[in-house]
Amino acid sequence: MPEMQDVKKLVQEIVERATGREQIEVVASRAVETDIMVYEANVESLTRAESIGIGIRVINNGRMGFAHCGTSDYDSVIEALEAARDNSRFATEDQFAALVAPDGVDAATLDLIDPEFHKPTLEEKIALAMELEALITRGDPRVTKVESSNYSEAEAEGFVASSEGIFAHTRETFAYISGHAIAEQDGDTRTGGGYSVSRGLSGIDVNKAANDVVSRCTELLGAKKPASTRATVIFDPRITATLLSIVGGSLSADAAQKGRSMFSGRIGEQIASPAFQLVDDPTEPRAQGASLFDGEGLACRRNSLIENGVLMTFLYDSYTARKEGRASTASAVRGYSSTPSPGPMALQLAPGELDQEELIKLVQNGILIRSISGVHSGVNPISGDFSVGAEGIIIQDGERKHAFKEATIASTIQRMLMGVVAIGSDVEWLPGISAGPSIAIENMSLSGI
Amino acid sequence: MSSQLIERNVIDRAISEAMAQGADFAEVFAEDSRSSVASLDDSIVDELSAGHSRGVGIRIVYGETTGFAHTSDLSEKSILEAVRAARAVRNVGESKVIDQVGTSPKGIEPRDVKIDKQRQVELLRRLDAVARDQGDQIAQVVAGIGQSQRRILVANSNGLFVSDEQFRSRISVSAVAKGDTGLQTGYHTAALTLTLDELMDRVNIEDVAIEAALLALLKLDAKPAPSGALPVVIKGGSGGILFHEACGHGLEADHIVKGASVYANRLGEKVASDLVTLVDDGTVGSEWGTYRYDDEGNPAQTNVLIQDGVLVDYMWDRNRSVKENHEVSGNGRRQSYKHLPMVRMTNTFMLAGADQPEDIIADTPNGIYVAKLSGGQVNTTTGDFVFGTSEAYLIENGRITAPLRDTNLIGNGPEILSLIDAVGNDFSMTPGTCGKAGQSVPVGCGQATLRVSSMTVGGTADA
C-alpha cells in the first residue's frame, strides 16, 4: 500500500495534466480497517485490510466524464483518466457543468482523530468485543444467545484536488462496538441491538452498549399484535434520526430543481410544526458525519434548513448553485466511486425541554416506537408516503403498558412534520448522518389486527 | 494481462504459507471487475462513468475462527503480506505439512467486450422520449444503462482452482408524475446476467420506459391504502420478494447454525401451506441471481428448500457445511474480494400451482391486489417481515378497482406461509438487490399469482 505522500503526489500530477480549457478533479481516499467478530467467547472472524480508491472527473466544454479505480497503481490511474476523458465526449453539453473554485471560507477547527488511536493492541480490541458479549450474556437471564458482538475501527484519509485550485485533505479515525442478542420468555422470542461509537477505542462505552442490547431484546417479550387505530406516536431518538435523514434527502437542491422533492418551490413556507428547528452542521464535532471539507473540497459550514417550521434553504453543491446563480452551501456528498451531488452530512434537530419519560406523561395515550423496519420499501421520499413496520410499547394514562409487535405506522412525511407536537431533550449522537431527540407526532395510523 | 489474474505458482506459495501454522483451510479469492454506467436525468445525458477494481482476499480458517485480509495489489509480496495479516488471528500454532491436490484450472477464457457508448447514449434519449410520451403529467425521467464484468479466481487448500467470468447488465427508468394531489413515482428495470448487447437484444427496451411512466401516472389517482388485516392477492413476478423475506433469509445456514432463525431445528416439519414448494436455483437461464460458480468456487445448483409445505433443506456455504457435516450448496457469495463470503440466496422462487390468476381474484370478495413490490426486510429470529408495494389496487366484490398509494405489508413468515390458500398457474421472475450484513448481491425472485388469506396492510384508510 502506498504512503499518503505518494498518493498526494500522484493526485497533483493527474490534476496538472489538464490541457487548454479542460478541467480535472481527482479524489483519493484510503482506509485502514480492522473488524473483529466474536461469537461464544471465540474470535469468529478477524479482518484486516487497507484499501484505496481514486475518482477522476473531467469537464471539457461543458461535458462531464467520470471514472474510478480501486487502486493507486500508476497505469490504472492513467487508464481511469483516459476513460474519464473519453466518457466526457458522450455527455450532453451543459452550460452549468464546471468545477468549483476555492471560495475563501476557512475550514473549521475540528478534532476528528483520537491521538491514541494506534495505542490499543489487537488483543485489547478482541478483549473489548469479548467483554461486550459477556456483559450482554450476564445482563438478563432471559438473554439466550448473543448472536454477534463486534469491534470495528477505521482510519480514513482523503484528498480532493482540482485544476481550479482546490486542494483539501482530511483524516479521521473511528471505533465502534455493536452487539445483537436474542431473548426468550414463555415461548416468545425477541431480538435487539445496541452500540457505542467513538473516535477511538478509549472513548467506547461498553456498558452503555451492553445495557442497550439487553433492554432492547428483553423489553418487548410477550408483545402482541395491536388493534388498528389512530394514535399519537413517540419516536425513539434512533427513529427520529431515520426520519431526519429522509427529510434531509428531500432538501437536496438537485431533487428540488428537478421536481423530485415534496418540498420543491416551498422556500419560506411552513412545512413543519413551529417547534421544528433543523440544521445540517458538519462542523459539530459530536456528529458522526462531521467533516472539514465537502466532496468538492469546500470547507463545510453550518446550514440552517428549517427555522420555527419554515423552510429556509435547500442544500447545494456547486452545480446546483450555479443553476440558481448562488453560492454552494458546501454540501457536495460523494465517495471516490461517484460524482458529487448535494445532500446532508450532519443533520441535527434542536432538542426541547422534556426527557422521554416526560414526553410519555405528556402524551397520556399513544405508542412509543422502539424499532422500525422496511424503510427502503415503505417510504417514498418523492410522494412523501410513509409506511413502516414498527414495534414498541403502548402508552396508557401516561404510563408504559404492554409491548406490541408486527404492526405498521403510516402517514405522509408532510403530515408528520406538521404533526410534531413535542420534542424531547434526549439527543443521541448516532452513526450516520442524523442526530435528534425523541419526538411526539400526532394522528398516525397504526395497523395491526 | 494473462488469462489468469494471478500465476498458479504464486497462489500455491500463498496457500502453503497460509496453512503453515496449522490452519484447517485457506483460500485465495482474486477478482477483477469493471463497470460502465451511463445515466440521463432531466433530459440530459449527465454522466458516463467507468469503474475498475481488482484485488485479492485471503481467508484462513482455524477451527471456528476465520482470519481475513485483502489487498488491491496483486504482487506476490503484497499477497504474502495479506496472508500474514490474515494469520494474525492465530498467534501460535504448529506448522504442518499440507497435502495439496493439484487440479487443472476449471473455468473459461475472459471475453473482450467493448461498450458502444454512442449506442448507450442514443438508447437513454429514446427511453426519456418514450417515457415522456406516455402523458403530459410526466414531469421527470431518470434512465440508466450499465454493464459489469467480473472475473474471479478461487483457489483453496483442498486443491480447488476455479476461474469464472460474470457479466451483468441493467436498464432502468424511474419516472415522476405531477398532478393535483402531488408527486407520484414509477420505476421499472430489466436486468439479466448477460452482456449489455445481449440484454438489449433480449428485452423490449421501450417497455421499461412505458412501464415506469404508466405506473407513475396511474398512481396520481391512487387512494390511501387500507389499514388492517385483509386478504392479499400478489401477482406473479416481484411477489417473489415475499418468499425471499418470509422464509428465504431464515433458511440461510449461518442463521440456522446460530439458532437465529424461526426455521432452525425444523427439518421435516410442515412450515408452509401444502401449496408451497420453494426452490433456490443459481442455474436458471440468465436470471439476475444466476452464476456458474459461487464465490467459494463451488458450482451453482438447484436446491429444493420446501417441498409441498415441508422443510427439506437449508442453504449452505463452506464454513457452515463443515460445521454441520453437510454438503455445500453453491450459496457462498460475497460482494467483492474485500468481503468474507457468507450464505446468500441466488434465484429464489415458489413453483406455480393450478389456479387461473383471474379466478383467484374473482374468488376474493374484498382485499388488495399487489402487482408490484419494491422490497422488504426480515428479522430472521422472530420471522417478522415487511414488504412494500409500488403498484397495488383494491379488490372489491372480486374485481380489481382503485389504485392505492405505496404502503408496507407486515406479517410473520411461518404464519403467512401457512395462510397461502391459492396459487396460480402463471410464473415470472424479477431482479433485485439483496442486502445482508453490509454486503449487496444480485438476486432473482419469482412466484406465481397467489393469495394470502389475511395479512396486515399498513395504509392510512379504514379497512
Side-chain angles (χ1 to χ4, degrees):
Chain A
M1 187 59 50
E3 291 302 314
M4 232 27 209
Q5 273 309 98
D6 300 330
V7 176
K8 182 180 170 185
K9 263 170 64 184
L10 178 67
V11 164
Q12 284 169 327
E13 194 207 311
I14 300 297
V15 163
E16 281 162 17
R17 285 180 173 238
T19 57
R21 294 175 61 191
E22 181 182 54
Q23 298 184 325
I24 296 179
E25 173 198 69
V26 184
V27 296
S29 66
R30 183 174 83 147
V32 182
E33 290 161 82
T34 299
D35 286 292
I36 297 159
M37 300 175 75
V38 162
Y39 180 65
E40 294 184 341
N42 177 46
V43 176
E44 185 178 39
S45 73
L46 165 67
T47 300
R48 313 186 84 180
E50 299 190 356
S51 57
I52 191 156
I54 309 264
I56 303 177
R57 199 154 58 117
V58 170
I59 300 178
N60 270 312
N61 302 317
R63 295 172 195 268
M64 194 263 288
F66 182 68
H68 56 94
C69 57
T71 167
S72 60
D73 163 64
Y74 187 79
D75 291 344
S76 299
V77 175
I78 294 298
E79 189 189 326
L81 171 65
E82 293 310 323
R85 280 176 165 160
D86 188 57
N87 282 341
S88 73
R89 294 169 37 228
F90 295 91
T92 309
E93 187 178 336
D94 181 348
Q95 60 172 314
F96 303 110
L99 296 180
V100 73
D103 68 355
V105 176
D106 290 330
T109 308
L110 268 183
D111 203 1
L112 306 178
I113 295 166
D114 175 356
E116 301 202 324
F117 182 78
H118 292 286
K119 211 169 152 196
T121 61
L122 183 60
E123 286 70 23
E124 287 172 289
K125 295 165 192 172
I126 292 170
L128 190 67
M130 298 233 180
E131 185 186 355
L132 175 64
E133 187 184 49
L135 286 171
I136 298 168
T137 308
R138 289 201 304 266
D140 191 299
R142 294 170 296 175
V143 172
T144 53
K145 178 148 297 208
V146 182
E147 211 183 325
S148 63
S149 176
N150 303 340
Y151 172 85
S152 298
E153 62 171 37
E155 181 176 25
E157 192 164 5
F159 294 111
V160 185
S162 82
S163 56
E164 308 314 291
I166 291 286
F167 186 83
H169 173 231
T170 56
R171 203 178 132 228
E172 294 164 77
T173 60
F174 297 99
Y176 179 87
I177 53 167
S178 63
H180 201 80
I182 301 170
E184 289 176 51
Q185 184 178 32
D186 303 331
D188 189 32
T189 304
R190 293 283 106 195
T191 65
Y195 42 77
S196 172
V197 55
S198 184
R199 294 282 165 198
L201 183 143
S202 62
I204 282 181
D205 186 343
V206 67
N207 287 301
K208 172 188 163 292
N211 291 340
D212 209 14
V213 175
V214 171
S215 68
R216 282 178 182 271
C217 70
T218 55
E219 71 180 350
L220 301 185
L221 282 164
K224 299 271 185 295
K225 192 162 177 155
S228 302
T229 183
R230 280 178 194 278
T232 297
V233 171
I234 298 175
F235 281 5
D236 247 2
R238 286 190 197 182
I239 321 292
T240 302
T242 302
L243 177 67
L244 297 179
S245 299
I246 298 161
V247 170
S250 297
L251 297 179
S252 149
D254 187 63
Q257 289 172 352
K258 290 171 178 165
R260 270 200 299 272
S261 168
M262 55 193 142
F263 303 118
S264 287
R266 298 193 63 191
I267 295 289
E269 289 183 27
Q270 192 84 33
I271 63 162
S273 116
F276 208 86
Q277 323 280 349
L278 182 67
V279 298
D280 184 46
D281 186 6
T283 68
E284 162 61 71
R286 288 174 298 179
Q288 283 303 304
S291 183
L292 292 173
F293 298 100
D294 81 343
E296 293 184 290
L298 296 181
C300 286
R301 53 209 76 172
R302 182 181 191 275
N303 290 299
S304 180
L305 304 174
I306 300 175
E307 292 179 13
N308 305 318
V310 175
L311 178 58
M312 306 305 290
T313 184
F314 294 109
L315 293 165
Y316 292 84
D317 63 357
S318 75
Y319 174 76
T320 51
R322 216 169 284 121
K323 277 184 158 176
E324 291 183 29
R326 52 159 294 157
S328 169
T329 58
S331 303
V333 179
R334 72 184 309 178
Y336 78 84
S337 62
S338 68
T339 54
S341 64
M345 285 185 253
L347 292 164
Q348 297 147 49
L349 178 64
E353 302 291 319
L354 307 176
D355 65 22
Q356 195 181 67
E357 292 313 310
E358 291 166 317
L359 278 188
I360 288 170
K361 285 201 176 63
L362 183 77
V363 163
Q364 282 293 303
N365 294 296
I367 50 175
L368 170 66
I369 308 292
R370 291 292 266 167
S371 83
I372 58 174
S373 60
V375 172
H376 69 289
S377 63
V379 180
N380 185 324
I382 297 176
S383 68
D385 286 320
F386 181 99
S387 167
V388 297
E391 52 187 32
I393 296 160
I394 307 263
I395 299 164
Q396 269 172 16
D397 303 321
E399 298 202 355
R400 293 162 193 251
K401 281 293 183 228
H402 55 271
F404 74 91
K405 64 174 181 180
E406 216 188 314
T408 64
I409 49 168
S411 182
T412 65
I413 303 272
Q414 297 93 320
R415 280 209 299 272
M416 288 163 70
L417 290 180
M418 295 300 282
V420 173
V421 288
I423 296 178
S425 57
D426 51 342
V427 177
E428 250 189 76
W429 297 97
L430 300 162
I433 60 165
S434 303
S438 300
I439 58 174
I441 299 175
E442 64 181 6
N443 200 24
M444 289 192 73
S445 296
L446 174 72
S447 303
I449 295 166
Chain B
M1 191 187 299
S2 70
S3 66
Q4 293 301 341
L5 290 166
I6 307 174
E7 294 300 329
R8 178 67 191 255
N9 57 2
V10 174
I11 290 170
D12 288 346
R13 280 197 290 276
I15 289 177
S16 292
E17 188 69 19
M19 296 295 285
Q21 292 182 335
D24 294 305
F25 176 78
E27 176 191 69
V28 175
F29 177 87
E31 179 185 53
D32 182 295
S33 62
R34 289 175 184 272
S35 64
S36 170
V37 182
S39 63
L40 172 142
D41 189 1
D42 205 19
S43 295
I44 285 176
V45 177
D46 62 342
E47 186 174 322
L48 273 78
S49 154
H52 184 200
S53 102
R54 68 163 188 257
V56 58
I58 304 288
R59 179 161 65 132
I60 308 178
V61 181
Y62 302 88
E64 307 220 340
T65 297
T66 298
F68 183 62
H70 58 81
T71 172
S72 59
D73 181 350
L74 296 186
S75 69
E76 178 166 7
K77 176 171 171 283
S78 188
I79 289 169
L80 292 176
E81 271 174 27
V83 167
R84 284 187 281 276
R87 271 193 340 213
V89 73
R90 173 77 159 227
N91 294 321
V92 286
E94 294 170 24
S95 71
K96 71 176 181 187
V97 179
I98 54 155
D99 181 21
Q100 273 209 61
V101 186
T103 54
S104 51
K106 285 194 283 186
I108 45 148
E109 284 299 301
R111 287 160 72 185
D112 186 20
V113 174
K114 291 268 181 292
I115 294 275
D116 182 344
K117 293 179 185 174
Q118 193 55 41
R119 188 176 176 199
Q120 263 183 313
V121 166
E122 283 160 15
L123 182 54
L124 286 174
R125 294 217 169 92
R126 199 158 105 232
L127 290 168
D128 185 47
V130 169
R132 287 175 189 274
D133 277 350
Q134 303 309 310
D136 295 340
Q137 290 165 306
I138 295 294
Q140 197 53 269
V141 176
V142 177
I145 301 173
Q147 173 186 286
S148 70
Q149 176 182 12
R150 178 178 189 243
R151 291 172 58 199
I152 61 168
L153 184 159
V154 196
N156 69 32
S157 53
N158 298 329
L160 179 137
F161 193 95
V162 162
S163 64
D164 194 17
E165 183 173 52
Q166 300 161 354
F167 283 90
R168 283 198 167 80
S169 300
R170 178 196 277 275
I171 299 171
S172 63
V173 175
S174 73
V176 178
K178 189 175 184 183
D180 300 337
T181 52
L183 305 173
Q184 282 295 343
T185 58
Y187 174 78
H188 198 67
T189 186
L192 290 171
T193 304
L194 292 173
T195 67
L196 189 54
D197 281 340
E198 290 164 344
L199 174 70
M200 290 194 283
D201 292 340
R202 192 75 72 88
V203 301
N204 185 341
I205 290 140
E206 296 195 350
D207 284 351
V208 180
I210 293 168
E211 285 250 1
L214 291 183
L215 182 52
L217 291 168
L218 171 92
K219 286 198 285 187
L220 288 178
D221 297 322
K223 308 202 307 188
S227 158
L230 283 170
V232 177
V233 178
I234 302 170
K235 186 184 175 182
S238 66
I241 293 169
L242 174 82
F243 295 98
H244 182 101
E245 305 296 353
C247 61
H249 280 296
L251 300 177
E252 294 164 341
D254 46 355
H255 298 304
I256 298 294
V257 168
K258 287 190 173 182
S261 166
V262 275
Y263 299 100
N265 304 315
R266 296 195 61 190
L267 283 178
E269 288 182 29
K270 192 91 186 320
V271 296
S273 138
D274 293 345
L275 301 174
V276 176
T277 292
L278 186 77
V279 178
D280 182 84
D281 189 345
T283 70
V284 190
S286 48
E287 292 299 338
W288 197 230
T290 295
Y291 45 77
R292 268 179 295 266
Y293 294 99
D294 73 2
D295 300 321
E296 298 182 311
N298 296 308
Q301 58 185 58
T302 305
N303 298 300
V304 177
L305 305 172
I306 297 173
Q307 178 82 51
D308 303 322
V310 175
L311 179 61
V312 293
D313 204 357
Y314 304 116
M315 290 170 277
W316 302 86
D317 65 0
R318 185 264 165 202
N319 277 4
R320 278 73 191 197
S321 63
V322 167
K323 186 173 164 73
E324 298 294 304
N325 196 21
H326 189 284
E327 293 291 305
V328 291
S329 63
N331 290 92
R333 303 182 68 184
R334 47 177 138 205
Q335 181 177 313
S336 80
Y337 75 89
K338 295 179 185 177
H339 299 88
L340 272 169
M342 56 181 158
V343 189
R344 303 302 294 263
M345 284 175 260
T346 62
N347 303 297
T348 312
F349 50 88
M350 187 189 78
L351 298 186
D355 297 332
Q356 295 291 336
E358 50 270 35
D359 292 347
I360 298 175
I361 296 159
D363 186 41
T364 307
N366 289 292
I368 73 163
Y369 178 68
V370 179
K372 202 167 192 178
L373 295 175
S374 56
Q377 188 180 342
V378 65
N379 179 330
T380 56
T381 306
T382 64
D384 291 346
F385 74 103
V386 293
F387 63 81
T389 68
S390 60
E391 181 182 358
Y393 306 81
L394 271 183
I395 299 175
E396 296 172 290
N397 303 316
R399 295 178 58 183
I400 291 172
T401 60
L404 299 172
R405 296 182 69 132
D406 295 348
T407 191
N408 255 325
L409 283 81
I410 192 161
N412 182 268
E415 280 172 29
I416 295 298
L417 294 185
S418 70
L419 295 177
I420 293 172
D421 65 356
V423 178
N425 56 13
D426 55 337
F427 180 83
S428 71
M429 301 229 15
T430 51
T433 300
C434 171
K436 176 178 172 183
Q439 295 192 43
S440 293
V441 296
V443 295
C445 290
Q447 40 76 263
T449 297
L450 63 86
R451 182 175 59 204
V452 179
S453 60
S454 176
M455 192 165 182
T456 296
V457 183
T460 58
D462 294 337

